[in-house]
Amino acid sequence: MTEEPAKKILLGVTGSIAAYKACELVRLFVKDGHEVTPLLTHDAERFVTAHTFEALARREAARELFPHLMEADLLVLAPLSANTLAKLAQGLADNVLTQTMLAYRGPVVAAPAMNARMWDHPATKENTARLRERGVELVGPETGELAEGELGPGRMSEPNEIYARCLAALARGSELREKRVLVTAGGTREPLDSVRFIGNRSSGKMGVALAEEAARRGAEVTLLYANGSVPPPAGIEVVATPTAADLARETLARADADVVLMAAAVADYRPSEPISGKRPKEREPWTVTLDPTDDILAELGRRRTDGQILVGFAADEGERGLERAREKLAAKRGTLFVFNDVSQDDIGFDANQNEVVLVSSTGERKIAKRDKREVAVAILDEVATLLRGD
Ligand SMILES: Cc1cc2nc3c(=O)[nH]c(=O)nc-3n(C[C@H](O)[C@H](O)[C@H](O)COP(=O)(O)O)c2cc1C
């Protein structure tokens, strides 16, 4: 038995020649004292019977979507066939495994297994990218000799490797339990009149990915959302904060959170006298005076308590921008600054990918260009390290 409390594992098995390897995976979980509930597709049973899994797991396979399945700590899909992968990408729910995937909100680890050409097909690539975007962690497939005697990518990773990744996902899943995490996302809009505003290009993708990842790690998350273009995550508290003043008020009301991630692009200036109603079109120039807004991060820094993690985001340009992020870290009493270089078109504002430098008092770490969801994983890994005080 492990010293950690037993975890509840859902093991989805699909119709692949690699299904026999899932038996070993069950054995590894059970040996360490975890509870495994097998979820087999109809075709999985053409390869290995439910009896085998039930005997190894010492419990019945689930044949219906019972509510208690939703309380599991982890859903593992091994092997994941091209067919079920496509169904999951589309959100189909025609068997107990696909239904569970739609209803379950915890971490998911998937180990695809298929013929190399099936894996290489654009449809499979798109489906895989969709699952990744939704936070599914993929293990493999490995390159090697496939069942048909061909060589190529498609072979399911070994049970030991999948098991190690599952344990890591389980550890992450409870890392922020009982922590209150406040995330701000999107870009504020400062009214010029009743229909016009001064805004910015922030989509909210980075902040939403952070909120989702914090929730996945067991945190109690509040998202303060300013006009983002992506839907906020399901199942977490979301408060709309359209202007810098709204964002400042709602942030400071929750300034005692354990972790504050200030990913929103907050206006530095607002029109000093917004016009009530719509300003009619005239031939004269329209001169607007802008007043600086409050510096929320600096105020949070002043109020920061021992052990609280305060993360600022610096969208700036080039080496000089990075230098400014270092200066801000000290000036605003932040714990961590995430610098992203907005002089590059394909990352940062509105893009799906980001490349950042994590700047903290203990050092700097570059996170090479990757999906914003994966950047969120790296940032929260760093936050977890800082919380532990390592
Ligand atoms: C011998 C044999 C081996 C197969 N191996 C795989 C495989 O490794 N990966 C895969 O995606 N499909 C494989 N298939 C095809 C799937 O079994 C088929 O697409 C099935 O509809 C999958 O259903 P499921 O996803 O509901 O389990 C194999 C079929 C046969 C007959």
Side-chain angles (χ1 to χ4, degrees):
M1 291 280 286
T2 50
E3 285 169 28
E4 289 283 307
K7 300 287 186 187
K8 294 188 173 69
I9 313 295
L10 301 174
L11 174 66
V13 183
T14 68
S16 155
I17 193 76
Y20 75 94
K21 289 196 199 172
C23 298
E24 172 64 6
L25 194 55
V26 177
R27 206 188 60 76
L28 291 169
F29 277 117
V30 172
K31 181 169 70 70
D32 277 349
H34 302 300
E35 294 173 12
V36 180
T37 303
L39 302 169
L40 278 75
T41 64
H42 180 264
D43 277 291
E45 289 208 58
R46 290 169 62 204
F47 295 85
V48 183
T49 66
H51 274 322
T52 309
F53 285 103
E54 288 173 339
L56 288 165
R58 297 175 210 146
R59 78 185 48 238
E60 279 191 31
R63 290 181 172 81
E64 278 176 62
L65 182 63
F66 295 116
H68 73 264
L69 297 181
M70 300 313 112
E71 290 156 20
D73 299 293
L74 183 71
L75 169 59
V76 193
L77 306 164
L80 176 60
S81 66
N83 178 55
T84 296
L85 175 67
K87 285 186 191 175
L88 299 180
Q90 287 299 322
L92 297 189
D94 63 344
N95 61 37
V96 67
L97 197 164
T98 50
Q99 286 161 12
T100 303
M101 180 73 179
L102 275 191
Y104 178 71
R105 292 286 175 269
V108 181
V109 171
M114 66 196 72
N115 168 284
R117 273 171 293 176
M118 288 167 84
W119 176 248
D120 216 33
H121 194 281
T124 307
K125 283 188 177 156
E126 270 175 38
N127 294 333
T128 309
R130 276 202 191 177
L131 291 196
R132 249 201 207 108
E133 267 168 34
R134 293 185 203 140
V136 173
E137 185 175 335
L138 285 152
V139 187
E142 311 296 331
T143 298
E145 193 175 335
L146 304 173
E148 306 84 349
E150 286 181 81
L151 202 71
R155 199 171 73 184
M156 188 174 92
S157 296
E158 290 307 314
N160 272 330
E161 167 70 14
I162 300 170
Y163 187 59
R165 295 282 291 275
C166 288
L167 291 187
L170 282 168
R172 271 203 310 276
S174 56
E175 205 167 47
L176 297 180
R177 191 162 288 162
E178 288 170 16
K179 297 285 181 207
R180 281 179 304 129
V181 174
L182 181 65
V183 184
T184 70
T188 59
R189 294 177 177 174
E190 307 308 317
L192 285 155
D193 65 9
S194 62
V195 297
R196 304 178 178 95
F197 56 82
I198 297 179
N200 60 67
R201 284 171 46 211
S202 175
S203 62
K205 285 177 193 162
M206 192 64 243
V208 166
L210 284 163
E212 281 175 341
E213 183 58 26
R216 207 173 285 128
R217 295 178 190 220
E220 197 184 301
V221 182
T222 302
L223 175 67
L224 304 184
Y225 204 23
N227 317 296
S229 60
V230 292
I236 69 166
E237 187 194 12
V238 181
V239 180
T241 50
T243 67
D246 296 327
L247 194 75
R249 187 187 62 246
E250 299 298 331
T251 305
L252 296 179
R254 297 169 178 80
D256 59 346
D258 298 293
V259 179
V260 184
L261 294 143
M262 293 291 288
V266 186
D268 294 323
Y269 297 92
R270 74 161 71 88
S272 49
E273 286 173 23
I275 295 165
S276 64
K278 183 181 176 227
R279 183 188 195 272
K281 182 177 172 180
E282 286 164 12
R283 298 204 58 79
E284 302 305 310
W286 179 5
T287 306
V288 177
T289 305
L290 302 176
D291 289 337
T293 57
D294 295 334
D295 188 332
I296 307 173
L297 193 61
E299 182 55 32
L300 287 173
R302 277 191 283 278
R303 297 185 188 193
R304 181 157 74 82
T305 51
D306 272 356
Q308 186 184 33
I309 306 292
L310 181 55
V311 183
F313 285 71
D316 208 327
E317 302 195 348
E319 201 43 50
R320 182 68 198 105
L322 178 57
E323 192 52 47
R324 268 192 291 268
R326 291 178 187 128
E327 288 160 14
K328 277 187 195 168
L329 181 75
K332 301 196 182 187
R333 297 192 66 238
T335 327
L336 178 68
F337 250 87
V338 180
F339 166 72
N340 74 303
D341 190 343
V342 288
S343 62
Q344 299 180 46
D345 271 354
D346 54 342
I347 56 165
F349 272 126
D350 211 18
N352 287 326
Q353 295 202 316
N354 211 352
E355 176 184 293
V356 302
V357 182
L358 304 183
V359 184
S360 75
S361 56
T362 56
E364 290 182 14
R365 193 154 69 89
K366 184 171 176 170
I367 309 298
K369 187 170 147 184
R370 63 192 71 180
D371 201 271
K372 282 187 174 166
R373 206 172 281 271
E374 290 165 311
V375 175
V377 169
I379 293 171
L380 283 167
D381 281 347
E382 190 74 20
V383 165
T385 307
L386 290 165
L387 268 176
R388 285 194 304 269
D390 317 342

